[in-house]
Structure formats: structure tokens, C-alpha cells
Amino acid sequence: MASSFNLADSDTLIHLSNGDLTLLISELVADASSVQRKLSAETLAASMNAYYFLYAGALVFMMQAGFAMLCAGSLREKNIKNIMLKNLLDACVGALGFWVCGYGIAYGSKDNSDEPTFVGDEFWILRGEFEVDDTYHSWFFQFAFAATAATIVSGAVAERCQMTAYACYSLFLTAWVYPVVVHQIWSVNGYLSAFRSDKQFLNGVGVIDFAGCGVVHMVGGISAMIGAAVLGPRAGRFDPLTGAVDDPMPGHNAALVVLGTFLLWFGWYGFNPGSTLCIHECEFVAAKTATTTTLAAAAGCIVNLGLHKSISGILSLEEACNGALAGLVGITSACSVVEPWAAVIIGGVGAIFYTIGAKICLRFQIDDPVNATAVHFFAGAWGLLAPRSEETRLNSSHSQD
């Protein structure tokens, strides 16, 4: 509110009546209150967004427990302590690797330009301008994603990988491999980024990957497939003459598999809705993302359950769980831009891609005890295609209009 009095005019102040002076004071107080309310609203919004970062990051970090339970239930009982230690190492080694150089490689940009680069160039051990930018909550959120990408591999190489070798892999993936992919797709300086002003790749659009379908899940899934292939199958898994499955080596505890699946599903509500990176003025997108995430998981579970009933003749609890996870992976890229009915289709097709991937792995004798390759790589590949399909549909409808 602008004051109706000219305070620079001393004569005005002298001749003010008591009523006018009261009005002047009221206007000044109103102006100060308006400024204070604006500053308070901005501070509150920033605090809400920072808290949302931390909350979503904590949900994603809880996925470590989900992976641990899923792997424990899918393996033989004699190897439980081994896989638990590997999951713990993923979180600890991953945190150190992402602190030393991972975050800097992913998001560092000294000149603050949008010119494309291969890797970032600052924020080593969170030094430089990191504290000035007040991005500690961002580091924590991104670390949880990096640890998730590394943990995907633990079940795929279980029961035949030395602990030291696994720790070295986890460090290498979180400190170099994963950050490079993040920089290329999620940083404004990446060659494949959809955030660049001059999107020269992929028809001028860039890679649409809202929450990490390719960045997180495909990176982990490809690493899982390569690791399992290099290590070879577990002794006695395949017939040496025919190559057929000789021993299915089922998991020892279905209850842990279900518990792990629900923990992962719960963590996905930090993974997908949390990728809005804010809650103030982003609440609609976050809520829609939670809805599409739920529907895709449900559809993936039902489709995979029916699909494997037709293949094997039994209702498989483990395949129902993997179907839900495949649906979650499939929707991760497009969760914020598709309609709920499309999320159901994406989740169902994700389960089909998962089943095809699992069969391919068996065909080439890639022994993946938890089917991490099929869930995260094959369903993830479908998930990256889903936003492109939606964009084609929208462009087609617009051209008809």
C-alpha cells in the first residue's frame, strides 16, 4: 500500500491533525506488515521445499531395506549374511563415493552456463560454492538415488561375488558411472538433457526421464546383467550339456520377498513424487505422480500374475511381486506426464517386458537370482519409450485439432 502523504514535505508533517497522523501510522504499519508477510511466505515455501527434499530422500533411502529383504528372501538361507553385508556396503561406500566426486561429476558447473559438457567440474568433497548455494538437501536426495542404482546389482551377483570386489564395484558406480549418466540427462549441461535451451538430440526434445527410469534403473539393470554374465552361473544352476535349468534354486523365505516388495513400493513414493523437487506450487504434479505410480504397480502385478499362470499353470507369489516392481520401474520415466489410464497400460506392458527379459537371461544362461536384470533393465527400457509414445499421441491429437 502506497502512503497518501508526502513524507518529504516537512510542512505536511507539521500541519497533520491527530486523525491524519493516525491514518499515516496505520498505512506505514500496513506496508511493513505486507512486506513481512511476503518475506515470511517466501521463507516458508523454501523451508517446505527443503523439508520435502529430505523427506523424499529418506523414503528413497528406505528402499535399501526393501532391496535387502527382497534379496534375502530370494536366496538360499546359507547366503543371507553375505547379501546383508553387501547391501550395507552399498549405502556406506556409495555415500563416500558420491561425496568425494560423484555429486560434482553429476551437477558441477563453475561457469553456470548451459554449454554441453561430458562431466561436471566442481563440488569435490562438497567444497567450493556448495555451501553458498545451500544445496545440502539436494546432495542427500541425489545420494539416495545413487545408492539405489548401486544396490540393484547386489541380488544379481549374489552367492558368487567376493566382498572386496563388490565394494570396489559399488564405489566405481556411485563415484563415476552413475554420475556421468546423471550429468548427461539431468544436468542442464548434459548432451542428452531435456533442460538445455538448444536441445539438439532426439528431435530437439532430449531424454524425458522424470524420476530415473533410465538414469537409475537401467544403469543398475545393465550393471546387474554384465556382472551376472561375467561371474557366470552358480554351480549346478544349468545343465552343462543342454543348457536348461537344472536346479531352480528357489528362495528360502517368501515372506521376506513380500516385505521387500512393499518396502520398495513405499520408497517409490519418495522416488517418483519426490522428483518434483518441490512441494510448494508442485502439489498437483506430486499427487498425480503418486496416483500413476500406484496404478502402474497394481497393473504390473495383476498382468504378471496372469501371464505366469498361463505359462506355468500356478499363481506365483514371487512373480506377482516382480510384476509390481516392473510396473513401478516402467512408470518412473513418464509418471508426471501421463494420464492414469495410460499408467495402467504402462505398468502392464512393463510386466510383459520383464517376462521377456527373464526368459532371455535364462536362454543365455545369465544367472540372476532376483531377476534384477529383467525388472530394472528390460522394464526400464520400456519405461523410457513410454513418454515418447505419449508425446506422439499428443502431437497426433493436436494435429487433428
Side-chain angles (χ1 to χ4, degrees):
M1 180 187 301
S3 175
S4 58
F5 297 96
N6 183 6
L7 299 182
D9 188 350
S10 58
D11 292 335
T12 300
L13 292 176
I14 295 173
H15 295 90
L16 281 177
S17 65
N18 290 336
D20 290 337
L21 185 59
T22 302
L23 178 60
L24 173 60
I25 294 175
S26 300
E27 290 180 351
L28 292 176
V29 171
D31 287 342
S33 300
S34 176
V35 173
Q36 182 63 37
R37 283 195 299 269
K38 182 177 180 181
L39 293 175
S40 298
E42 293 175 351
T43 302
L44 179 60
S47 298
M48 289 172 58
N49 290 335
Y51 177 79
Y52 188 64
F53 255 113
L54 298 175
Y55 170 73
L59 289 183
V60 176
F61 187 72
M62 183 174 286
M63 295 175 75
Q64 298 291 324
F67 280 113
M69 295 300 101
L70 181 66
C71 292
S74 301
L75 302 178
R76 292 173 289 184
E77 188 174 4
K78 64 180 182 179
N79 295 301
I80 298 306
K81 283 190 175 181
N82 181 277
I83 195 63
M84 293 291 99
L85 181 55
K86 286 178 180 176
N87 279 274
L88 183 61
L89 284 177
D90 276 320
C92 299
V93 175
L96 295 176
F98 203 64
W99 164 66
V100 172
C101 62
Y103 188 87
I105 291 173
Y107 292 107
S109 178
K110 287 183 178 180
D111 56 6
N112 293 320
S113 70
D114 61 353
E115 290 298 317
T117 56
F118 180 66
V119 294
D121 55 4
E122 64 173 340
F123 299 150
W124 316 125
I125 60 173
L126 305 189
R127 299 290 296 276
E129 298 296 321
F130 189 83
E131 290 194 16
V132 176
D133 294 336
D134 191 24
T135 50
Y136 280 112
H137 52 278
S138 176
W139 180 89
F140 173 71
F141 184 72
Q142 298 298 336
F143 144 71
F145 276 61
T148 299
T151 307
I152 290 171
V153 184
S154 62
V157 300
E159 302 189 336
R160 61 203 192 278
C161 181
Q162 291 185 353
M163 196 63 64
T164 303
Y166 185 81
C168 291
Y169 138 78
S170 185
L171 179 63
F172 183 65
L173 190 138
T174 54
W176 174 252
V177 177
Y178 172 79
V180 170
V181 178
V182 170
H183 185 81
Q184 292 304 314
I185 296 178
W186 280 346
S187 170
V188 295
N189 304 105
Y191 284 98
L192 302 178
S193 175
F195 303 107
R196 285 178 54 199
S197 57
D198 56 332
K199 306 177 185 68
Q200 302 173 2
F201 293 89
L202 300 176
N203 297 324
V205 176
V207 177
I208 301 174
D209 190 359
F210 182 74
C213 185
V215 174
V216 178
H217 295 287
M218 283 191 69
V219 167
I222 292 174
S223 301
M225 182 175 66
I226 294 174
V230 169
L231 290 174
R234 292 168 288 178
R237 181 77 165 96
F238 298 101
D239 187 291
L241 298 179
T242 64
V245 176
D246 192 31
D247 184 355
M249 298 182 179
H252 82 286
N253 194 322
L256 290 179
V257 173
V258 175
L259 176 61
T261 300
F262 274 116
L263 284 174
L264 288 171
W265 191 337
F266 180 68
W268 238 284
Y269 292 120
F271 209 96
N272 287 1
S275 292
T276 57
L277 306 183
C278 66
I279 192 61
H280 178 66
E281 298 184 350
C282 300
E283 59 272 14
F284 173 80
V285 177
K288 179 182 179 181
T289 300
T291 301
T292 55
T293 299
T294 303
L295 292 174
C301 175
I302 299 302
V303 169
N304 210 48
L305 185 64
L307 185 60
H308 283 267
K309 175 66 167 63
S310 65
I311 294 174
S312 63
I314 62 173
L315 293 172
S316 172
L317 172 64
E318 291 79 6
E319 293 301 342
C321 290
N322 281 334
L325 295 177
L328 288 166
V329 170
I331 196 61
T332 298
S333 176
C335 54
S336 64
V337 296
V338 297
E339 297 301 318
W341 64 264
V344 173
I345 296 175
I346 291 172
V349 176
I352 296 173
F353 270 73
Y354 154 77
T355 300
I356 294 172
K359 297 297 183 183
I360 291 176
C361 288
L362 291 178
R363 172 65 179 81
F364 290 95
Q365 298 187 21
I366 298 175
D367 184 14
D368 187 340
V370 299
N371 280 325
T373 302
V375 169
H376 298 278
F377 176 38
F378 284 88
W382 155 245
L384 275 187
L385 296 175
R388 184 68 59 179
S389 302
E390 179 71 5
E391 180 191 0
T392 301
R393 182 187 69 82
L394 290 175
N395 289 339
S396 176
S397 63
H398 289 163
S399 63
Q400 292 174 2
D401 294 340

